[in-house]
Amino acid sequence: MNGVALNSPRLLFLCSVAVFAANGQTDLARCFGNGIWLATNNTCVCNPGWEGDACTKLKLRPLSTNDSFWGYYNISDPSWGGTVVYKDAVWNLFMPIKKDVGPSASGNFSNHVTVRAVSHVSPQGPYTVQFNEEELPGFRADVHLTPNGSLVLFTTGNVGGKFGIVMNVSYSGSPTGPWKPQLMFDYERYHNRTTLWNCGLGDPSATILRNGSVLLAYRTIPQTPPCERGTAEHIGLLFASHWTDYGGMTYITTDNTGPLFNMSISAEDPYLYWSESGVHMLFHAQGSQFPPSFPDHRTRGGYAYATGDGTDISSWVVSFDAWPNNVTFSNGTLVPLARRQRPSLVFANTSDTHKPTHLINGVDLVSPDGLHWNHGWTMIQEIDIN
Protein backbone atom coordinates (compact mmCIF):
# COMPACT_ATOMS: atom_id res chain seq x y z
CA MET A 1 0.00 0.00 0.00
CA ASN A 2 1.22 3.46 -0.82
CA GLY A 3 1.04 6.23 1.74
CA VAL A 4 2.66 9.29 3.19
CA ALA A 5 3.43 10.70 6.61
CA LEU A 6 0.60 12.48 8.38
CA ASN A 7 2.45 15.78 8.41
CA SER A 8 3.11 15.65 4.67
CA PRO A 9 1.47 18.20 2.36
CA ARG A 10 0.95 15.34 -0.10
CA LEU A 11 -1.68 13.67 2.09
CA LEU A 12 -4.13 11.98 -0.27
CA PHE A 13 -7.91 12.36 -0.13
CA LEU A 14 -9.29 11.01 -3.38
CA CYS A 15 -8.96 7.34 -2.52
CA SER A 16 -10.43 5.52 0.45
CA VAL A 17 -7.39 3.43 1.25
CA ALA A 18 -5.48 3.78 4.48
CA VAL A 19 -2.80 6.44 4.86
CA PHE A 20 0.44 5.17 6.40
CA ALA A 21 3.65 6.77 7.49
CA ALA A 22 6.18 6.00 4.79
CA ASN A 23 8.83 4.49 7.05
CA GLY A 24 8.98 2.73 10.38
CA GLN A 25 5.31 1.72 10.55
CA THR A 26 4.66 -0.89 13.22
CA ASP A 27 2.88 -4.12 12.38
CA LEU A 28 0.02 -3.07 14.68
CA ALA A 29 -0.44 0.19 12.78
CA ARG A 30 -0.34 -1.57 9.39
CA CYS A 31 -3.64 -3.19 10.38
CA PHE A 32 -4.81 -0.17 12.42
CA GLY A 33 -4.87 -2.17 15.63
CA ASN A 34 -7.69 -4.35 14.26
CA GLY A 35 -5.78 -7.32 12.89
CA ILE A 36 -2.56 -9.29 12.47
CA TRP A 37 0.00 -8.33 9.83
CA LEU A 38 1.35 -11.26 7.81
CA ALA A 39 4.71 -10.13 6.46
CA THR A 40 5.05 -13.24 4.28
CA ASN A 41 2.37 -12.00 1.88
CA ASN A 42 1.93 -8.37 2.99
CA THR A 43 -1.67 -8.73 4.13
CA CYS A 44 -3.77 -8.10 7.24
CA VAL A 45 -5.91 -10.77 8.86
CA CYS A 46 -8.68 -8.69 10.43
CA ASN A 47 -10.31 -9.17 13.81
CA PRO A 48 -14.02 -10.09 13.82
CA GLY A 49 -16.12 -7.08 12.86
CA TRP A 50 -13.50 -5.46 10.64
CA GLU A 51 -12.62 -5.82 6.97
CA GLY A 52 -10.65 -4.11 4.19
CA ASP A 53 -6.98 -4.17 3.23
CA ALA A 54 -5.99 -2.48 6.49
CA CYS A 55 -8.92 -3.56 8.70
CA THR A 56 -10.40 -0.06 8.73
CA LYS A 57 -13.94 -0.88 7.57
CA LEU A 58 -16.66 -1.98 9.93
CA LYS A 59 -18.37 -5.13 8.71
CA LEU A 60 -22.05 -4.27 9.16
CA ARG A 61 -25.11 -6.51 9.11
CA PRO A 62 -28.30 -5.47 7.30
CA LEU A 63 -30.80 -3.42 9.29
CA SER A 64 -34.12 -4.99 10.20
CA THR A 65 -37.20 -3.95 8.24
CA ASN A 66 -38.90 -3.44 11.63
CA ASP A 67 -38.18 0.19 12.58
CA SER A 68 -38.44 -0.71 16.29
CA PHE A 69 -34.93 -2.14 15.89
CA TRP A 70 -33.31 0.77 14.06
CA GLY A 71 -32.06 2.44 17.24
CA TYR A 72 -34.14 5.49 18.17
CA TYR A 73 -36.31 6.32 15.16
CA ASN A 74 -38.90 8.88 16.21
CA ILE A 75 -39.35 11.90 13.97
CA SER A 76 -41.49 13.52 16.68
CA ASP A 77 -38.33 13.59 18.84
CA PRO A 78 -35.44 14.23 16.42
CA SER A 79 -32.11 12.97 17.76
CA TRP A 80 -28.49 12.89 16.62
CA GLY A 81 -26.39 9.96 17.79
CA GLY A 82 -25.44 9.03 21.32
CA THR A 83 -23.77 6.34 23.39
CA VAL A 84 -25.09 3.11 24.87
CA VAL A 85 -24.09 1.62 28.22
CA TYR A 86 -25.41 -1.73 29.44
CA LYS A 87 -26.19 -1.26 33.12
CA ASP A 88 -28.81 -2.57 35.56
CA ALA A 89 -29.90 -5.25 33.04
CA VAL A 90 -30.98 -2.70 30.40
CA TRP A 91 -29.35 -0.90 27.50
CA ASN A 92 -29.14 2.81 28.32
CA LEU A 93 -28.97 5.14 25.32
CA PHE A 94 -27.89 8.70 26.15
CA MET A 95 -28.60 11.08 23.26
CA PRO A 96 -29.44 14.70 22.43
CA ILE A 97 -32.99 15.28 21.23
CA LYS A 98 -34.85 18.35 20.04
CA LYS A 99 -36.13 20.07 23.18
CA ASP A 100 -38.94 22.13 21.70
CA VAL A 101 -40.87 20.50 18.86
CA GLY A 102 -43.63 23.11 18.66
CA PRO A 103 -44.56 24.70 15.31
CA SER A 104 -42.62 27.90 16.07
CA ALA A 105 -39.61 26.14 17.63
CA SER A 106 -36.12 26.68 16.31
CA GLY A 107 -34.87 23.98 13.95
CA ASN A 108 -31.27 24.67 14.88
CA PHE A 109 -29.27 22.03 16.71
CA SER A 110 -28.87 24.47 19.63
CA ASN A 111 -32.48 23.59 20.55
CA HIS A 112 -31.61 20.41 22.41
CA VAL A 113 -31.42 18.50 25.66
CA THR A 114 -29.70 15.20 26.52
CA VAL A 115 -31.99 12.39 27.69
CA ARG A 116 -31.79 8.70 28.55
CA ALA A 117 -33.72 6.03 26.68
CA VAL A 118 -33.88 2.38 27.73
CA SER A 119 -34.30 -0.94 25.94
CA HIS A 120 -34.97 -4.25 27.70
CA VAL A 121 -34.67 -6.18 24.43
CA SER A 122 -31.45 -5.40 22.55
CA PRO A 123 -28.86 -2.68 21.87
CA GLN A 124 -30.86 -1.79 18.74
CA GLY A 125 -34.08 -1.20 20.64
CA PRO A 126 -36.89 -0.64 20.93
CA TYR A 127 -35.99 2.37 23.11
CA THR A 128 -38.27 4.42 25.34
CA VAL A 129 -37.18 7.89 26.45
CA GLN A 130 -37.35 8.49 30.20
CA PHE A 131 -38.77 12.01 30.06
CA ASN A 132 -39.43 12.10 33.80
CA GLU A 133 -35.71 11.90 34.65
CA GLU A 134 -33.05 14.55 35.10
CA GLU A 135 -32.24 16.26 31.81
CA LEU A 136 -28.61 17.05 31.08
CA PRO A 137 -27.27 19.99 29.07
CA GLY A 138 -24.93 19.56 26.14
CA PHE A 139 -25.29 18.45 22.55
CA ARG A 140 -22.79 15.58 22.88
CA ALA A 141 -23.57 12.68 25.20
CA ASP A 142 -20.36 10.65 25.54
CA VAL A 143 -20.90 8.18 28.41
CA HIS A 144 -18.36 5.83 30.01
CA LEU A 145 -17.92 3.61 33.04
CA THR A 146 -14.91 4.57 35.13
CA PRO A 147 -12.51 2.00 36.64
CA ASN A 148 -14.24 2.36 40.02
CA GLY A 149 -17.76 1.87 38.61
CA SER A 150 -18.98 5.46 38.38
CA LEU A 151 -20.71 6.68 35.23
CA VAL A 152 -19.44 9.84 33.51
CA LEU A 153 -20.92 11.82 30.63
CA PHE A 154 -18.59 14.17 28.73
CA THR A 155 -20.01 17.20 26.93
CA THR A 156 -19.46 20.95 26.65
CA GLY A 157 -21.18 23.48 28.86
CA ASN A 158 -20.87 25.89 31.75
CA VAL A 159 -19.99 25.20 35.38
CA GLY A 160 -19.84 28.12 37.77
CA GLY A 161 -19.98 30.55 34.85
CA LYS A 162 -16.99 28.94 33.12
CA PHE A 163 -17.32 27.32 29.70
CA GLY A 164 -15.38 24.24 28.71
CA ILE A 165 -15.32 20.45 28.84
CA VAL A 166 -17.85 19.26 31.40
CA MET A 167 -17.88 15.78 32.89
CA ASN A 168 -21.21 14.94 34.53
CA VAL A 169 -20.59 12.24 37.15
CA SER A 170 -22.98 9.68 38.59
CA TYR A 171 -20.76 8.59 41.46
CA SER A 172 -23.05 5.69 42.34
CA GLY A 173 -22.85 4.38 38.78
CA SER A 174 -26.61 4.62 38.38
CA PRO A 175 -27.79 5.70 34.88
CA THR A 176 -30.52 7.72 36.61
CA GLY A 177 -28.01 9.84 38.51
CA PRO A 178 -27.89 12.06 40.40
CA TRP A 179 -25.34 13.74 38.14
CA LYS A 180 -22.78 16.22 39.39
CA PRO A 181 -21.08 18.47 36.79
CA GLN A 182 -17.29 18.86 36.99
CA LEU A 183 -15.36 21.30 34.81
CA MET A 184 -12.47 19.32 33.31
CA PHE A 185 -11.10 22.03 31.00
CA ASP A 186 -11.59 25.80 31.31
CA TYR A 187 -11.65 26.97 27.69
CA GLU A 188 -11.34 30.71 28.37
CA ARG A 189 -8.42 30.20 30.73
CA TYR A 190 -6.30 28.07 28.42
CA HIS A 191 -7.42 29.09 24.94
CA ASN A 192 -4.78 30.90 22.89
CA ARG A 193 -6.64 33.69 21.11
CA THR A 194 -3.90 34.07 18.50
CA THR A 195 -4.02 30.42 17.43
CA LEU A 196 -4.54 29.83 13.72
CA TRP A 197 -6.65 26.67 13.90
CA ASN A 198 -8.04 26.06 17.39
CA CYS A 199 -11.10 28.32 17.64
CA GLY A 200 -13.94 26.80 19.61
CA LEU A 201 -14.63 23.61 21.51
CA GLY A 202 -17.32 21.11 20.56
CA ASP A 203 -18.34 17.46 20.14
CA PRO A 204 -16.04 16.04 22.85
CA SER A 205 -15.40 12.32 23.15
CA ALA A 206 -13.15 10.77 25.77
CA THR A 207 -11.67 7.43 26.58
CA ILE A 208 -10.66 6.51 30.12
CA LEU A 209 -7.57 4.33 30.00
CA ARG A 210 -6.87 1.44 32.34
CA ASN A 211 -4.73 3.62 34.64
CA GLY A 212 -7.54 6.17 34.95
CA SER A 213 -6.00 8.79 32.64
CA VAL A 214 -8.23 10.48 30.06
CA LEU A 215 -7.62 11.24 26.39
CA LEU A 216 -10.28 13.52 24.90
CA ALA A 217 -10.87 14.54 21.28
CA TYR A 218 -12.90 17.60 20.29
CA ARG A 219 -13.96 19.53 17.19
CA THR A 220 -12.68 23.02 16.48
CA ILE A 221 -12.45 25.45 13.56
CA PRO A 222 -9.78 27.79 12.15
CA GLN A 223 -9.21 31.23 13.58
CA THR A 224 -8.88 32.71 10.09
CA PRO A 225 -11.42 33.74 8.89
CA PRO A 226 -12.32 34.64 12.49
CA CYS A 227 -14.13 31.62 13.91
CA GLU A 228 -16.38 31.17 10.89
CA ARG A 229 -18.30 27.95 10.39
CA GLY A 230 -18.38 26.53 6.90
CA THR A 231 -14.64 26.81 6.34
CA ALA A 232 -13.02 23.70 7.79
CA GLU A 233 -13.27 21.68 10.95
CA HIS A 234 -10.38 20.10 12.80
CA ILE A 235 -9.85 17.63 15.64
CA GLY A 236 -7.79 18.49 18.70
CA LEU A 237 -6.70 16.43 21.72
CA LEU A 238 -6.73 17.06 25.47
CA PHE A 239 -5.27 14.88 28.23
CA ALA A 240 -5.70 14.51 31.99
CA SER A 241 -3.60 12.29 34.23
CA HIS A 242 -6.74 10.94 35.91
CA TRP A 243 -10.49 11.26 35.39
CA THR A 244 -10.80 12.71 38.91
CA ASP A 245 -8.26 15.45 38.11
CA TYR A 246 -10.99 18.06 37.79
CA GLY A 247 -9.73 21.08 35.88
CA GLY A 248 -6.50 19.26 35.06
CA MET A 249 -6.92 18.73 31.31
CA THR A 250 -4.25 20.21 29.06
CA TYR A 251 -3.78 20.57 25.31
CA ILE A 252 -1.92 17.82 23.45
CA THR A 253 -2.45 19.47 20.07
CA THR A 254 -0.96 22.97 20.01
CA ASP A 255 0.06 25.63 17.50
CA ASN A 256 3.35 23.77 17.15
CA THR A 257 1.74 20.40 16.43
CA GLY A 258 -1.27 21.63 14.49
CA PRO A 259 -4.53 19.67 14.70
CA LEU A 260 -4.66 15.92 14.61
CA PHE A 261 -4.24 14.73 10.98
CA ASN A 262 -2.80 18.20 10.07
CA MET A 263 -4.42 21.32 8.63
CA SER A 264 -5.31 19.71 5.30
CA ILE A 265 -8.06 17.47 6.65
CA SER A 266 -11.54 18.67 7.58
CA ALA A 267 -13.08 16.32 10.14
CA GLU A 268 -15.51 16.36 13.07
CA ASP A 269 -17.56 14.19 15.45
CA PRO A 270 -14.65 12.18 16.89
CA TYR A 271 -15.37 9.08 18.97
CA LEU A 272 -12.52 7.60 21.02
CA TYR A 273 -12.04 4.18 22.59
CA TRP A 274 -9.09 2.04 23.66
CA SER A 275 -8.08 -1.59 23.43
CA GLU A 276 -4.99 -3.61 24.27
CA SER A 277 -3.50 -2.60 20.93
CA GLY A 278 -3.82 1.17 21.44
CA VAL A 279 -6.28 4.03 20.98
CA HIS A 280 -8.89 4.10 18.22
CA MET A 281 -11.06 6.85 16.74
CA LEU A 282 -14.10 6.96 14.48
CA PHE A 283 -15.06 10.34 13.01
CA HIS A 284 -17.04 12.09 10.30
CA ALA A 285 -14.58 12.67 7.44
CA GLN A 286 -15.24 15.65 5.17
CA GLY A 287 -12.05 15.80 3.11
CA SER A 288 -9.83 18.80 2.48
CA GLN A 289 -10.67 22.34 3.47
CA PHE A 290 -11.89 24.19 0.38
CA PRO A 291 -14.13 22.60 -0.82
CA PRO A 292 -14.59 19.21 0.84
CA SER A 293 -12.97 16.80 -1.57
CA PHE A 294 -15.21 13.84 -0.78
CA PRO A 295 -18.36 13.94 -2.94
CA ASP A 296 -20.05 11.99 -0.14
CA HIS A 297 -18.64 14.19 2.63
CA ARG A 298 -22.01 14.33 4.43
CA THR A 299 -21.93 10.57 4.98
CA ARG A 300 -18.22 9.62 4.89
CA GLY A 301 -16.78 7.79 7.88
CA GLY A 302 -13.16 8.05 8.99
CA TYR A 303 -11.10 5.80 11.23
CA ALA A 304 -7.78 6.47 12.97
CA TYR A 305 -5.47 4.56 15.28
CA ALA A 306 -2.47 5.21 17.51
CA THR A 307 -0.24 2.90 19.50
CA GLY A 308 0.20 3.64 23.20
CA ASP A 309 -2.09 6.18 24.88
CA GLY A 310 -2.58 8.38 21.79
CA THR A 311 -0.69 11.39 23.13
CA ASP A 312 2.11 11.02 20.56
CA ILE A 313 0.68 12.92 17.59
CA SER A 314 3.12 11.31 15.17
CA SER A 315 1.88 7.81 16.02
CA TRP A 316 -1.60 8.33 14.52
CA VAL A 317 -2.55 6.78 11.17
CA VAL A 318 -5.82 7.59 9.42
CA SER A 319 -8.21 6.22 6.79
CA PHE A 320 -11.47 7.37 5.23
CA ASP A 321 -13.64 4.30 4.67
CA ALA A 322 -15.10 3.29 8.05
CA TRP A 323 -18.74 2.86 7.00
CA PRO A 324 -20.87 2.98 3.82
CA ASN A 325 -22.92 6.01 2.76
CA ASN A 326 -26.06 3.89 2.58
CA VAL A 327 -27.88 1.29 4.65
CA THR A 328 -28.85 -2.21 3.55
CA PHE A 329 -32.01 -3.76 4.95
CA SER A 330 -32.69 -7.42 5.68
CA ASN A 331 -34.95 -7.69 2.62
CA GLY A 332 -32.09 -6.63 0.34
CA THR A 333 -33.22 -3.02 -0.11
CA LEU A 334 -30.37 -0.50 -0.34
CA VAL A 335 -31.26 3.02 0.82
CA PRO A 336 -28.88 5.99 0.37
CA LEU A 337 -28.48 8.28 3.37
CA ALA A 338 -28.56 12.07 3.15
CA ARG A 339 -26.34 12.29 6.24
CA ARG A 340 -24.44 9.72 8.29
CA GLN A 341 -22.28 11.29 11.01
CA ARG A 342 -21.72 11.41 14.81
CA PRO A 343 -20.38 7.82 15.30
CA SER A 344 -20.02 5.76 18.45
CA LEU A 345 -19.89 2.05 19.29
CA VAL A 346 -21.62 -0.47 21.52
CA PHE A 347 -19.34 -3.14 23.00
CA ALA A 348 -19.86 -6.77 23.97
CA ASN A 349 -19.49 -5.67 27.57
CA THR A 350 -18.28 -2.54 29.28
CA SER A 351 -14.85 -3.93 30.14
CA ASP A 352 -13.95 -5.43 26.74
CA THR A 353 -13.33 -2.79 24.09
CA HIS A 354 -11.82 -5.35 21.72
CA LYS A 355 -15.27 -6.36 20.54
CA PRO A 356 -17.56 -3.65 19.20
CA THR A 357 -20.99 -5.15 18.47
CA HIS A 358 -22.95 -2.18 17.04
CA LEU A 359 -22.27 1.10 15.24
CA ILE A 360 -24.27 4.17 16.23
CA ASN A 361 -24.69 7.16 13.88
CA GLY A 362 -26.73 10.31 13.68
CA VAL A 363 -28.47 9.90 10.32
CA ASP A 364 -30.97 11.60 8.04
CA LEU A 365 -32.81 9.85 5.23
CA VAL A 366 -34.23 13.05 3.77
CA SER A 367 -32.21 16.24 4.11
CA PRO A 368 -28.45 16.84 3.72
CA ASP A 369 -28.69 20.12 5.67
CA GLY A 370 -26.18 19.78 8.49
CA LEU A 371 -27.32 22.84 10.44
CA HIS A 372 -30.85 21.80 11.38
CA TRP A 373 -32.64 18.86 12.94
CA ASN A 374 -34.85 18.15 9.94
CA HIS A 375 -35.45 14.39 10.13
CA GLY A 376 -32.44 13.39 12.21
CA TRP A 377 -32.52 10.14 14.17
CA THR A 378 -30.14 7.74 15.90
CA MET A 379 -29.37 4.59 13.92
CA ILE A 380 -27.84 1.55 15.63
CA GLN A 381 -26.57 -1.10 13.21
CA GLU A 382 -25.20 -4.50 14.22
CA ILE A 383 -21.59 -5.38 13.43
CA ASP A 384 -20.92 -8.85 12.02
CA ILE A 385 -18.47 -10.31 14.56
CA ASN A 386 -18.92 -13.96 13.52
Side-chain angles (χ1 to χ4, degrees):
M1 281 176 235
N2 295 324
V4 294
L6 288 182
N7 60 359
S8 167
R10 297 186 295 110
L11 195 62
L12 302 179
F13 296 104
L14 299 181
C15 56
S16 61
V17 298
V19 176
F20 291 116
N23 297 303
Q25 196 63 58
T26 67
D27 287 353
L28 276 174
R30 289 179 187 273
C31 305
F32 277 64
N34 294 323
I36 298 172
W37 173 252
L38 299 180
T40 53
N41 54 3
N42 293 329
T43 59
C44 288
V45 177
C46 299
N47 296 338
W50 296 93
E51 58 186 355
D53 290 346
C55 307
T56 57
K57 298 179 181 181
L58 286 162
K59 188 177 180 182
L60 300 173
R61 290 175 177 252
L63 204 63
S64 171
T65 55
N66 182 346
D67 62 14
S68 295
F69 298 97
W70 290 3
Y72 188 72
Y73 179 72
N74 187 340
I75 301 305
S76 298
D77 294 315
S79 61
W80 199 243
T83 50
V84 169
V85 175
Y86 186 74
K87 182 78 172 169
D88 298 339
V90 297
W91 284 272
N92 301 269
L93 169 61
F94 293 85
M95 61 183 174
I97 66 170
K98 189 173 181 179
K99 184 175 184 179
D100 185 352
V101 295
S104 61
S106 168
N108 194 281
F109 273 135
S110 61
N111 174 18
H112 66 264
V113 65
T114 293
V115 298
R116 182 177 75 104
V118 300
S119 171
H120 297 270
V121 180
S122 80
Q124 291 181 274
Y127 281 98
T128 303
V129 174
Q130 309 300 292
F131 284 109
N132 60 330
E133 293 182 357
E134 177 183 2
E135 295 178 344
L136 295 169
F139 183 53
R140 186 69 181 258
D142 186 60
V143 182
H144 302 273
L145 273 173
T146 67
N148 74 344
S150 296
L151 269 181
V152 293
L153 185 153
F154 290 91
T155 188
T156 55
N158 292 275
V159 177
K162 297 178 179 180
F163 172 78
I165 298 295
V166 176
M167 183 179 69
N168 293 286
V169 186
S170 171
Y171 287 100
S172 68
S174 170
T176 63
W179 298 88
K180 181 175 178 58
Q182 301 286 357
L183 187 69
M184 295 296 289
F185 180 76
D186 185 343
Y187 176 73
E188 292 300 327
R189 178 179 179 184
Y190 294 106
H191 176 57
N192 177 5
R193 297 185 182 278
T194 63
T195 183
L196 295 178
W197 66 270
N198 197 12
C199 183
L201 190 68
D203 296 335
S205 173
T207 185
I208 301 176
L209 304 177
R210 179 173 290 170
N211 63 2
S213 62
V214 181
L215 183 70
L216 184 139
Y218 62 94
R219 172 190 51 78
T220 188
I221 56 177
Q223 189 87 353
T224 306
C227 298
E228 290 185 4
R229 295 297 302 271
T231 53
E233 294 176 299
H234 299 304
I235 294 176
L237 293 177
L238 295 164
F239 183 79
S241 60
H242 199 268
W243 69 273
T244 59
D245 185 12
Y246 308 137
M249 277 191 166
T250 57
Y251 281 119
I252 297 298
T253 47
T254 64
D255 275 351
N256 289 332
T257 67
L260 196 62
F261 318 140
N262 81 36
M263 291 288 289
S264 299
I265 296 179
S266 183
E268 62 152 359
D269 286 346
Y271 173 75
L272 282 174
Y273 65 101
W274 71 274
S275 72
E276 295 295 337
S277 65
V279 177
H280 312 253
M281 180 190 294
L282 291 170
F283 60 94
H284 169 214
Q286 297 166 316
S288 59
Q289 295 190 59
F290 306 104
S293 62
F294 294 140
D296 59 348
H297 63 271
R298 291 184 177 89
T299 56
R300 175 74 70 124
Y303 173 80
Y305 166 75
T307 54
D309 61 6
T311 57
D312 179 0
I313 305 301
S314 65
S315 70
W316 285 87
V317 289
V318 62
S319 68
F320 307 102
D321 56 356
W323 60 74
N325 58 10
N326 50 51
V327 60
T328 301
F329 288 89
S330 55
N331 63 1
T333 303
L334 185 70
V335 177
L337 296 169
R339 287 185 291 159
R340 185 173 195 168
Q341 302 168 15
R342 186 62 71 85
S344 62
L345 293 170
V346 184
F347 296 96
N349 60 67
T350 55
S351 63
D352 187 355
T353 53
H354 281 288
K355 299 175 183 177
T357 60
H358 296 77
L359 170 66
I360 305 175
N361 288 108
V363 301
D364 196 326
L365 291 169
V366 180
S367 173
D369 186 351
L371 297 177
H372 299 85
W373 286 101
N374 295 309
H375 305 279
W377 53 283
T378 299
M379 184 171 74
I380 304 179
Q381 191 170 4
E382 188 177 5
I383 299 169
D384 186 352
I385 58 175
N386 295 326

